[in-house]
């Protein structure tokens, strides 16, 4: 079992930056990938970004590509999400996720991940 704890959310103005952190503990050696989803009020949970633990390949949602950067610190079992040029539509609860099994093989659906953090609120004012 992997436990995930997010931090770094907050209230910022449009155009500002925030960095989210997600610390993993427990059976972290079994992580295949870690990433972020977000959910705004009244909307479905959506994929934001993911990084494969082995090799470090990254994948982004089109809506954040070029503005958000996901990275990892293997030694600290921590994943970061650097968010630049924030927009009001980025406002949401951001959830850290971990995939501890090679199956299912996808990486962009919520069902592809078996471990979820509690979430951290990001609010971007216009």
């Amino acid at each position: 079992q992997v436990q995930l704890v997010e931090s770094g959310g907050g209230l910022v103005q449009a155009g500002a930056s925030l960095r989210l952190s997600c610390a993993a503990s427990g059976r972290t050696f079994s992580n295949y990938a870690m990433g972020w989803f977000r959910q705004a009020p009244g909307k479905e949970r959506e994929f934001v970004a993911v990084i494969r633990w082995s090799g470090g390949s990254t994948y982004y949602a089109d809506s954040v590509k070029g503005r958000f950067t996901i990275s990892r610190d293997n030694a600290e079992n921590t994943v970061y999400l650097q968010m630049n040029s924030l927009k009001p539509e980025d406002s949401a609860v951001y959830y850290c996720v971990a995939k501890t099994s090679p199956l299912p093989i996808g990486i962009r659906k919520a069902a592809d991940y078996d471990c979820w953090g509690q979430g951290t609120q990001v609010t971007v004012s216009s």
Side-chain angles (χ1 to χ4, degrees):
Q1 191 74 2
V2 175
Q3 293 78 44
L4 306 173
V5 178
E6 304 102 331
S7 62
L11 170 64
V12 297
Q13 291 188 328
S17 298
L18 275 177
R19 189 176 81 155
L20 304 183
S21 300
C22 175
S25 60
R27 295 174 61 87
T28 56
F29 61 86
S30 63
N31 282 352
Y32 283 84
M34 288 183 67
W36 298 88
F37 278 68
R38 67 187 182 185
Q39 187 168 23
K43 295 188 177 181
E44 292 189 355
R45 198 165 292 190
E46 65 171 348
F47 168 78
V48 175
V50 66
I51 184 167
R52 292 194 184 276
W53 214 246
S54 176
S57 298
T58 58
Y59 307 86
Y60 297 92
D62 289 342
S63 59
V64 307
K65 201 173 294 183
R67 299 187 297 122
F68 290 11
T69 302
I70 189 170
S71 61
R72 75 190 194 285
D73 183 329
N74 288 28
E76 297 295 328
N77 292 314
T78 300
V79 169
Y80 303 97
L81 185 68
Q82 178 66 42
M83 305 185 294
N84 298 329
S85 302
L86 282 162
K87 304 175 181 179
E89 51 264 43
D90 293 318
S91 297
V93 176
Y94 282 70
Y95 296 92
C96 179
V97 296
K99 184 180 178 68
T100 63
S101 168
L103 297 175
I105 61 174
I107 56 170
R108 293 180 181 268
K109 296 180 181 178
D112 295 329
Y113 297 86
D114 52 325
C115 296
W116 290 75
Q118 293 297 310
T120 185
Q121 177 71 48
V122 172
T123 304
V124 185
S125 63
S126 58

